[in-house]
Amino acid sequence: MQWITEKYVNFASVVDEVTLAQNLMTSSMPFVYPHFASMPDAHLGKGCAVGSVLPTLGAIIPAAVGVDIGCGMVAVRTDFRATDIAHLDRRRLRQAIERAVPLSAGNNNKRVSASAQPRVDTLEQDARTAGFDPSSYVKQWRLQLGTLGSGNHFIEVSLDEQDDVWLFLHSGSRGIGNRIAQRHIRAAQDYCARRSLGLPHQDLAYLEEATPEFDRYISELLWAQKFALLNREEMMDRVVRQFADWVGGPVQERERINCHHNYTQRETHYGRDVWLSRKGAIAADPGRPGLIPGSMGTRSYVVTGRGSRESMDSAPHGAGREYSRTRARKTFTQDQLRAAMRGIEYRDTPAFLDEIPAAYKDIDVVMQDARELVDVRHTLRQIINVKGD
C-alpha cells in the first residue's frame, strides 16, 4: 500500500503512468470521500480505471461503475474429486456446456426456460416497482438471462489444492446492463453540461443526489445489478445440470459464492455514509467470501475478506489487462496460446488470442499485492474452459 496523495491510496506494486494519471484525475473530484483506492489489478478504463474503489458523497459517476453493470463471478464447490472424473471425456462436458449456455455477444436463448422464468418474473416485478420498462432498452432482455457473452467472460471446471471439483463462471448484465449504463453516462454528461459543471474529463460526468436524473439512475442501476446476479445463478444452475449428466448422478453443492465486481451500493466508511462504486473490485469486509479469477490458463482464488480500512473493505477482481486486445492480437500467436492452455480442455480458436494469459498481469503479483486485503482459502487450477468468441 502506498499513499500517492492524501486522496489517493495505491495497492498495486506495478502501475503504468497512464493509469496513474487517470487515478490522480479521478481522485481529484471534489465529492470523493475519504479517498480513492486503486486495486492491485488496476489498468486504464473508461472514466476511471478498472480496479477502482470510489467512495462519493452526494454524487455518483456512472462511468466509474462501468458499462457491464453487476459483472462478477459465481463459483460452486461440488462433492466430487479429481479421481471421480479422471476417466471421463472432458471435451464432452465442454461441448454440453456450450450447448446449454448461449455464448458470445448477441447470442441469446431461444425461449425463457423453466428455471429462468421465476427469475424473469422477479425482474419484471422489480422493474414495475422501480417505474421503468427494460424493454425500452432491449426488447428481448428476458432471453438474455442465462447467457455468457464474450471477452473475458468464461465458464470453467477447476480443481482446488485438495483436488475438489469447482464450477466457476464470470459474467454480468449483458446487453441490457450495457444499454442502461451507456444511457446514464450520456445523461450525466448532459447534466453537467447544462449546469456548466467543470470536469477534468467528460467521462467523469456525475449525477447529483436528490435530482430526478440521479434517482432514475440508481433505480435502474440496482435493477441491472440484480439482473447480473440472477444471470449468473441461472447459468450456474445449467452448468451444474450438465456436470451431473456428465458424471451420471446428482451433484451436491458444498458451497456457492456469487459476488459483483462492477457495482455501487451505500456503505459507511470513515464515519460517513457514502456511495461506494467498485469498478473491477470485490467487497472484502471481514469474513466475506469472494472470488478472484486469473486469466484463462492461470490460477483463480477463493478468498475471505480481511476488512482493510484504507481499501474500504475491497480487493482486486482478477489479473487485470496489461495488453489491449488489439496489441495482444499483434503480439502473440495461436501456438503461444496453445502452449499456455496445455492440459486444459478448451475450444482451440484464434478468436481467443486476445485472452492469452500473457496479455494479463501476473496473477501471483496481484495476489501478493492483495495480502493486506484478503486471505486465500482455495487456489483453483482449470481443467476445462468455455468462452464466447
Side-chain angles (χ1 to χ4, degrees):
M1 184 185 74
Q2 176 189 13
W3 286 96
I4 307 299
T5 71
E6 65 179 10
K7 298 281 286 184
Y8 171 22
V9 61
N10 172 48
F11 287 87
S13 60
V14 179
V15 58
D16 62 83
E17 291 299 319
V18 177
T19 303
L20 179 63
Q22 186 176 43
N23 289 343
L24 284 166
M25 184 168 58
T26 303
S27 67
S28 72
M29 298 300 286
F31 44 76
V32 173
Y33 175 88
H35 58 261
F36 169 88
S38 180
M39 293 291 97
D41 54 340
H43 61 278
L44 189 69
K46 181 182 176 67
C48 75
V50 178
S52 294
V53 178
L54 184 65
T56 53
L57 293 170
I60 292 179
I61 302 170
V65 180
V67 295
D68 191 356
I69 296 172
C71 190
M73 294 83 62
V74 61
V76 165
R77 181 160 64 114
T78 75
D79 57 335
F80 283 81
R81 296 179 57 79
T83 53
D84 299 324
I85 61 172
H87 64 291
L88 298 175
D89 180 2
R90 295 177 187 175
R91 183 179 182 184
R92 187 167 67 85
L93 177 56
R94 173 179 64 80
Q95 292 175 333
I97 293 172
E98 289 171 346
R99 289 190 296 269
V101 178
L103 311 174
S104 304
N107 192 14
N108 296 333
N109 296 290
K110 304 301 182 187
R111 59 181 178 81
V112 177
S113 67
S115 60
Q117 189 62 60
R119 293 171 172 133
V120 168
D121 292 344
T122 295
L123 290 166
E124 287 179 331
Q125 179 57 53
D126 287 355
R128 285 192 292 270
T129 301
F132 85 104
D133 179 10
S135 298
S136 66
Y137 287 105
V138 176
K139 185 176 181 180
Q140 299 296 328
W141 67 268
R142 297 169 185 84
L143 299 180
Q144 292 184 345
L145 189 79
T147 66
L148 185 70
S150 59
N152 61 352
H153 294 169
F154 64 76
I155 301 170
E156 291 176 343
V157 181
S158 298
L159 304 175
D160 69 14
E161 68 287 343
Q162 298 175 333
D163 276 351
D164 288 339
V165 178
W166 288 73
L167 310 175
F168 198 108
L169 70 83
H170 170 206
S171 192
S173 54
R174 304 292 291 111
I176 180 65
N178 183 283
R179 293 282 184 86
I180 290 171
Q182 296 287 4
R183 189 265 175 201
H184 290 288
I185 290 172
R186 292 192 300 271
Q189 292 168 349
D190 291 344
Y191 178 88
C192 290
R194 289 197 308 271
R195 287 159 178 76
S196 299
L197 300 172
L199 297 170
H201 192 285
Q202 67 170 358
D203 286 335
L204 288 175
Y206 55 92
L207 298 171
E208 294 179 299
E209 213 163 353
T211 63
E213 294 91 342
F214 183 96
D215 292 344
R216 180 175 177 184
Y217 175 56
I218 289 298
S219 63
E220 296 184 9
L221 170 76
L222 296 178
W223 183 91
Q225 288 175 185
K226 189 167 185 177
F227 180 101
L229 185 140
L230 295 179
N231 184 43
R232 291 192 293 273
E233 294 287 352
E234 173 64 23
M235 283 188 285
M236 182 54 76
D237 287 352
R238 296 184 193 184
V239 172
V240 169
R241 289 196 293 270
Q242 298 309 312
F243 185 84
D245 289 345
W246 185 59
V247 298
V251 176
Q252 178 183 350
E253 295 190 21
R254 298 172 63 188
E255 182 176 10
R256 183 180 285 218
I257 303 167
N258 194 345
C259 61
H260 293 321
H261 58 228
N262 278 14
Y263 70 110
T264 288
Q265 65 182 18
R266 292 289 280 178
E267 296 187 14
T268 301
H269 294 281
Y270 289 77
R272 301 286 299 272
D273 290 337
V274 299
W275 289 102
L276 192 67
S277 299
R278 293 185 174 96
K279 181 181 182 179
I282 62 171
D285 41 299
R288 181 186 291 273
L291 303 167
I292 303 177
S295 56
M296 64 186 295
T298 62
R299 289 174 294 280
S300 296
Y301 295 87
V302 180
V303 300
T304 301
R306 299 192 65 181
S308 162
R309 186 171 189 250
E310 292 81 7
S311 77
M312 282 144 292
D313 295 339
S314 304
H317 83 310
R321 293 198 74 89
E322 197 162 15
Y323 289 72
S324 70
R325 296 190 181 279
T326 300
R327 186 179 168 211
R329 288 193 166 279
K330 292 179 178 178
T331 304
F332 304 107
T333 67
Q334 194 171 355
D335 283 342
Q336 288 174 310
L337 176 60
R338 289 174 180 140
M341 296 297 287
R342 188 171 293 122
I344 301 171
E345 171 59 39
Y346 80 112
R347 186 156 49 92
D348 186 1
T349 168
F352 299 155
L353 188 55
D354 54 11
E355 283 294 302
I356 190 171
Y360 284 80
K361 291 185 177 182
D362 186 334
I363 189 65
D364 292 333
V365 173
V366 170
M367 295 307 296
Q368 176 65 17
D369 289 348
R371 63 192 181 277
E372 301 175 39
L373 311 179
V374 292
D375 293 317
V376 175
R377 288 178 49 216
H378 297 289
T379 302
L380 309 183
R381 61 189 190 279
Q382 308 146 0
I383 59 173
I384 298 173
N385 173 276
V386 174
K387 292 180 72 69
D389 294 338

